[in-house]
Amino acid sequence: MTATAWRPRSAGFAAALRTAAPQRVGRVSSVLGLSVEISGLDCGVGDLVSIGDPGSAVDAEVVAATREGVRCMPFGRLTGLTAGAPARSKGTPLLVPTGTGLFGRVLDGLGRPIDGKGPLDIEALVPLDHETPSAMLRTRIDTPLQLGVRALDTLTTVGRGQRMGLFAGSGVGKSSLLSMIARGTDAEVSVIALVGERGREVREFLEDDLGAEGLARSIVVVSTSDEPALMRLRAAFVATRIAESFRDRGADVMLMMDSLTRVAMAQREIGLSVGEPPATRGYPPSTFSLLAQLLERAGTGERGSVTGMYTVLVDGDDHNEPIADSARSILDGHVVLDRKLAVSGHFPSVDALASISRVASRVNPRERSDAASTLRRVMAARRAAQDLLDVGAYQRGSNPLVDAAVDNEDAINAFLQQRMDEQTPAETAWAQLHQLTRMLGVS
């Protein structure tokens, strides 16, 4: 009989053959800290492994390999796991669900539903790893993307395919600003990754901040702070992979991640557990290369785009700490949220003078850029003279820009501030800015 006669004739038959084939079983040689060492398995970095007896096994991913065996990081808890426990390779990397059936759903860090709405309506399962768009094949960023927030749409205009960072300390309003963007953007798809969030805040964000309207057009990936480091790290890449799948179809996607700092902290735990040397503030070198890999996957492709909005939790309000500094060097712009503005009731607490979009001049026509520059110059003059104003030493007439800022202080603040439930179309925001600059009376 020829070999052709033994060729499987259906996918079901092929699956049955794989199930019936002998399976190699490895053994846990040690459990140390966050990692598990396994001997006797033939698998590579990125492969999935099932550790323990069937029915109570814990899934893990291979993160390092040596001649003695492989080192894995678990997706679940290791309580009760002992040396000598069986381990089996699944023979495949992590697969991510994609498709329009994910709209309105909440997933965990592995792409599994956690919202109690039943199974996912999946169009396809795709590998977690995906090629970054070629630098020479990316389309140029030349079209603005509406965010629905006046201060951002006018003073730090975002282009389709741009990557922006929201830099702030804790409790300054990053998550609230993200929720405003999710409801106000005109992107076709919103993918939101909540990485390392407090469990209490997840439902509050979904129900209060995002709301039913925002959730209906969004896909949310959640990994709370108590979950293993690998789950938190994978949540960021799962959300990115889902966004990429829509970009590959030609869609304009808004990817929001809160927060990039907790992704870096998860990689720090993993890197130190597998033996990497600590470097800057305890972060191993792999942390900074991973940030570049993650952030570069967003942006434009040959068609479609992924616009990234990443929150960066600055340590002690230090905007020059390692993760913030590294992220700022990779991103295409940054928005700074100021604690002084937040405690004074100024929301969103965007420090417009400290924020910048590197593509604003390319996506805005000349008259809009001039209007934004005029308001910035007036605000900068007011800030430079603030000490004189506070002590009453400023002489009116000394600087026309300062005079304009003082005379129109209420109008400027009204333009920069916005309620959370208020959505302003970009065209309306620009019309309001032009009206404000006419009131300022400076050129």
Side-chain angles (χ1 to χ4, degrees), residues 97-108:
T98 63
T100 56
L102 301 183
F103 284 126
R105 301 303 301 270
V106 183
L107 315 178
D108 69 1

Side-chain angles (χ1 to χ4, degrees), residues 247-264:
R247 176 181 63 191
D248 292 343
R249 302 180 181 187
D252 291 314
V253 186
M254 171 65 76
L255 171 63
M256 290 169 278
M257 190 173 296
D258 187 13
S259 72
L260 191 63
T261 304
R262 295 192 178 104
V263 176

Side-chain angles (χ1 to χ4, degrees), residues 170-189:
S170 58
V172 184
K174 299 184 301 299
S175 298
S176 298
L177 183 55
L178 279 186
S179 68
M180 292 180 66
I181 295 173
R183 294 192 303 270
T185 181
D186 60 354
E188 301 170 50
V189 183

Side-chain angles (χ1 to χ4, degrees), residues 351-353 372-390 394-395 398-407 412 440 442-443:
D351 185 347
L353 296 179
S373 296
T374 298
L375 180 56
R376 281 180 173 273
R377 288 191 296 113
V378 169
M379 294 171 61
R382 167 66 185 264
R383 179 172 294 184
Q386 190 60 51
D387 290 342
L388 295 176
L389 291 168
D390 289 340
Y394 174 76
Q395 296 294 321
S398 302
N399 189 332
L401 296 177
V402 177
D403 295 341
V406 173
D407 293 341
I412 293 174
L440 297 175
V442 296
S443 59

Side-chain angles (χ1 to χ4, degrees), residues 61-398:
E61 181 179 314
V62 177
V63 295
T66 65
R67 292 187 177 183
E68 291 74 26
V70 296
R71 184 168 295 183
C72 305
M73 297 291 291
F75 291 116
R77 301 185 184 279
L78 296 176
T79 305
L81 188 64
T82 62
R88 299 170 176 83
S89 174
K90 292 192 170 184
T92 179
L94 180 63
L95 299 177
V96 179
T98 63
T100 56
L102 301 183
F103 284 126
R105 301 303 301 270
V106 183
L107 315 178
D108 69 1
L110 299 181
R112 302 172 301 194
I114 57 174
D115 51 10
K117 296 181 180 179
L120 297 174
D121 181 10
I122 300 173
E123 295 180 8
L125 289 171
V126 296
L128 180 65
D129 288 333
H130 190 55
E131 289 293 330
T132 302
S134 169
M136 298 305 297
L137 296 179
R138 289 181 185 264
T139 58
R140 298 190 61 172
I141 300 174
D142 56 8
T143 306
L145 177 69
Q146 174 181 296
L147 303 182
V149 182
R150 285 191 298 269
L152 301 185
D153 282 334
T154 55
L155 299 181
T156 56
T157 308
V158 173
R160 294 183 185 271
Q162 185 176 357
R163 300 160 304 167
M164 287 285 285
L166 304 180
F167 291 73
S170 58
V172 184
K174 299 184 301 299
S175 298
S176 298
L177 183 55
L178 279 186
S179 68
M180 292 180 66
I181 295 173
R183 294 192 303 270
T185 181
D186 60 354
E188 301 170 50
V189 183
S190 292
V191 181
I192 304 173
L194 303 178
V195 181
E197 286 290 323
R198 291 178 285 269
R200 173 188 61 82
E201 293 183 331
V202 174
R203 284 192 62 184
E204 292 179 1
F205 176 83
L206 295 176
E207 298 174 2
D208 299 338
D209 294 344
L210 190 59
E213 178 186 356
L215 181 59
R217 55 184 297 186
S218 304
I219 303 165
V220 183
V221 181
V222 175
S223 182
T224 54
S225 59
D226 62 317
E227 292 186 312
L230 191 59
M231 277 288 276
R232 284 176 270 142
L233 181 64
R234 285 294 165 257
F237 281 91
V238 165
T240 301
R241 185 66 185 93
I242 292 174
E244 288 174 321
S245 70
F246 286 98
R247 176 181 63 191
D248 292 343
R249 302 180 181 187
D252 291 314
V253 186
M254 171 65 76
L255 171 63
M256 290 169 278
M257 190 173 296
D258 187 13
S259 72
L260 191 63
T261 304
R262 295 192 178 104
V263 176
M265 293 172 67
Q267 177 60 25
R268 177 171 62 181
E269 293 181 39
I270 295 171
L272 295 177
S273 293
V274 299
E276 281 193 78
T280 309
R281 292 202 186 180
Y283 288 101
S286 65
T287 301
F288 302 98
S289 62
L290 179 133
L291 288 179
Q293 294 169 18
L294 178 63
L295 296 176
E296 282 295 334
R297 287 176 62 170
T300 57
E302 293 185 63
R303 60 193 187 105
S305 65
V306 174
T307 305
M309 300 291 292
Y310 303 89
T311 68
V312 180
L313 182 65
V314 295
D315 187 13
D317 289 341
D318 177 12
H319 289 263
N320 293 317
E321 56 93 18
I323 299 303
D325 197 47
S326 177
R328 191 163 46 242
S329 68
I330 301 171
L331 295 168
D332 304 315
H334 54 272
V335 175
V336 176
L337 304 186
D338 186 79
R339 189 175 299 277
K340 292 180 180 178
L341 292 176
V343 299
S344 67
H346 186 290
F347 184 83
S349 53
V350 174
D351 185 347
L353 296 179
S355 304
I356 189 170
S357 169
R358 296 178 181 174
V359 305
S361 60
R362 301 176 191 171
V363 300
N364 285 327
R366 180 66 178 271
E367 62 274 12
R368 289 186 172 182
S369 296
D370 289 346
S373 296
T374 298
L375 180 56
R376 281 180 173 273
R377 288 191 296 113
V378 169
M379 294 171 61
R382 167 66 185 264
R383 179 172 294 184
Q386 190 60 51
D387 290 342
L388 295 176
L389 291 168
D390 289 340
V391 299
Y394 174 76
Q395 296 294 321
R396 183 174 178 83
S398 302

